[in-house]
Amino acid sequence: FVLEGDSVGYRGDADVSSVQVDAGLEVKSGVAGSEAFAPVLAAIESLLGAIESGDVPAIGEALTRFAPAMADLGQARGKIGSALNLLENAKSRIDLRETGLKEQRARIEDADLSEAAVRMAQAQNALQASISAGGAILSQRSLFDILG
């Protein structure tokens, strides 16, 4: 914003940056200052000029410019509110994903180690029994010895 004498002007640009908040979802970080404030500033400037010149009909006309200017400002606020809703929804989705991932990690980390150790010991015992049985069979001399 620039103050030049009795007038105020917006000297910014119309660029509005966007932020990617989720896969495939970008949200504008605001609205262009000219879109939000130019009508209000023009209404103020018009009113000040009419007051300085003492032109009563021009003052009345300048005052009528405030309602549409405020409506434009309300639309800009609505766009910002809509962007905030998108951000809140994206945050909720991300929080749900984070909770799900934490639960999965907890299930993996909190596996019952004693149960896993018992299953491993049972498998090892079965392997040893198989090796012993195989060794006993192989230590026999002939097919007649095996068949008894």
Side-chain angles (χ1 to χ4, degrees), residues 16-139:
V16 178
S17 61
S18 295
V19 178
Q20 184 172 355
V21 295
D22 202 1
L25 177 63
E26 284 191 6
V27 177
K28 289 186 177 183
S29 63
V31 296
S34 58
E35 177 185 344
F37 299 111
V40 173
L41 295 175
I44 292 171
E45 188 173 326
S46 173
L47 179 62
L48 290 176
I51 290 171
E52 282 181 3
S53 67
D55 187 354
V56 176
I59 292 173
E61 190 274 323
L63 288 173
T64 63
R65 296 176 74 185
F66 276 94
M70 294 306 286
D72 290 345
L73 190 58
Q75 286 179 350
R77 290 179 62 196
K79 288 179 182 179
I80 292 170
S82 175
L84 284 174
N85 283 338
L86 284 173
L87 288 173
E88 288 173 5
N89 290 338
K91 181 185 180 311
S92 295
R93 285 192 306 273
I94 291 169
D95 288 345
L96 283 172
R97 275 190 240 146
E98 181 182 18
T99 301
L101 290 172
K102 284 181 180 179
E103 289 173 358
Q104 286 178 351
R105 185 176 70 191
R107 280 194 300 269
I108 293 168
E109 289 176 349
D110 297 341
D112 190 359
L113 293 178
S114 59
E115 182 182 328
V118 167
R119 280 189 273 139
M120 187 174 88
Q122 288 172 341
Q124 189 174 14
N125 289 339
L127 178 63
Q128 288 297 332
S130 298
I131 291 173
S132 294
I137 291 173
L138 293 176
S139 68

